[in-house]
Amino acid sequence: MRELLQNNPYLFWSFVFFIFLAVTTFFTTSFKRFFAGKIEGRKFPEELQLVFKALRECHSGNERDYLNILRELAKKYPEEIEIFLMAGDVARKTSPHKALEIHRDLLFRSGTSGKLRGKVLKHMGEDYLLLGKASKALNTLRESVKIDDKSETREMLSRAYESAGDTEEAYENMKKSVKMRNDTDYTPVKAVLTRAVVNSIKKGD
């Protein structure tokens, strides 16, 4: 499918336009239902995130097009925090500072509460990790798991503890992450200990 789209520019852009039109239509319909009182709670359907993932796959290697689509949607639906989370994730590849700026601003939005706040903090924690700010990553991710304890966040928290030199907490959080996934592969847990031993040898401890 990808090769067919890459070899046929007209078909590729037709597909992109179709996806964009579908996303826009979905948004419009969802909001009409929301304001009619037919949707309760989360306005941003999980199914729509799959559409964005498909778009990202389609634009693999061309993040600019994907980011431009997100920008257009952000202009149309500025209250949808999920769009800005995704935009920040794209920006992280080239500018972690910009990603952090985008994600941090979301904390001051009126709609950022409950589990959504926990999700924003998780994204910020990843930004801090990439920037090498282990202490800030730890504080942010610890707050995130208090709000909404997720396997992925525990894994990030493990990485943050490891960066801070706390092998014991890194090990415990990675173990929790694996258990939460109901995974039987404990390779990531063993890897934490292996890296600790290697680092210890390098330091001459």
Side-chain angles (χ1 to χ4, degrees), residues 167 190-205:
T167 302
K190 296 174 183 177
V192 172
L193 297 178
T194 301
R195 286 191 294 270
V197 171
V198 171
N199 290 333
S200 180
I201 293 173
K202 286 182 178 179
K203 292 177 182 178
D205 293 346

Side-chain angles (χ1 to χ4, degrees), residues 45 81 88 116 125 132 159 170 189 194:
I81 291 172
L116 187 54
R159 286 164 48 198
V189 181
T194 301

Side-chain angles (χ1 to χ4, degrees), residues 102-120:
I102 293 172
H103 292 147
R104 190 164 47 197
D105 285 348
L106 296 176
L107 287 179
F108 302 99
R109 296 282 191 93
S110 59
T112 309
S113 59
K115 289 186 177 182
L116 187 54
R117 180 178 177 82
K119 193 169 186 178
V120 171

Side-chain angles (χ1 to χ4, degrees), residues 140-150 153-154 157:
T140 305
L141 292 169
R142 279 193 293 238
E143 187 178 348
S144 178
V145 296
K146 285 180 182 178
I147 298 171
D148 189 21
D149 202 351
K150 298 284 188 181
T153 313
R154 282 286 175 183
L157 188 53

Side-chain angles (χ1 to χ4, degrees), residues 50-67:
L50 298 178
V51 176
F52 282 117
K53 286 182 180 179
L55 273 172
R56 197 163 191 171
E57 287 286 329
C58 180
H59 290 290
S60 180
N62 191 357
E63 298 287 358
R64 182 177 296 178
D65 286 343
Y66 176 71
L67 187 56

Side-chain angles (χ1 to χ4, degrees), residues 54-152:
L55 273 172
R56 197 163 191 171
E57 287 286 329
C58 180
H59 290 290
S60 180
N62 191 357
E63 298 287 358
R64 182 177 296 178
D65 286 343
Y66 176 71
L67 187 56
N68 285 338
I69 292 173
L70 290 177
R71 282 173 177 163
E72 289 301 313
L73 288 170
K75 289 178 184 177
K76 193 167 185 179
Y77 307 105
E79 67 275 31
E80 285 296 348
I81 291 172
E82 291 275 5
I83 297 175
F84 293 90
L85 281 175
M86 296 174 191
D89 288 347
V90 176
R92 187 188 291 129
K93 289 189 174 182
T94 54
S95 178
H97 286 94
K98 182 63 178 177
L100 178 60
E101 181 184 327
I102 293 172
H103 292 147
R104 190 164 47 197
D105 285 348
L106 296 176
L107 287 179
F108 302 99
R109 296 282 191 93
S110 59
T112 309
S113 59
K115 289 186 177 182
L116 187 54
R117 180 178 177 82
K119 193 169 186 178
V120 171
L121 289 166
K122 184 194 78 171
H123 285 253
M124 285 177 57
E126 191 167 0
D127 298 333
Y128 281 128
L129 274 174
L130 195 57
L131 289 168
K133 298 181 178 181
S135 179
K136 288 189 175 182
L138 278 173
N139 292 334
T140 305
L141 292 169
R142 279 193 293 238
E143 187 178 348
S144 178
V145 296
K146 285 180 182 178
I147 298 171
D148 189 21
D149 202 351
K150 298 284 188 181
S151 171
E152 185 181 352

Side-chain angles (χ1 to χ4, degrees), residues 30-38 79:
S30 295
F31 270 78
K32 283 181 179 178
R33 289 171 59 203
F34 174 75
F35 287 115
K38 294 180 181 178
E79 67 275 31

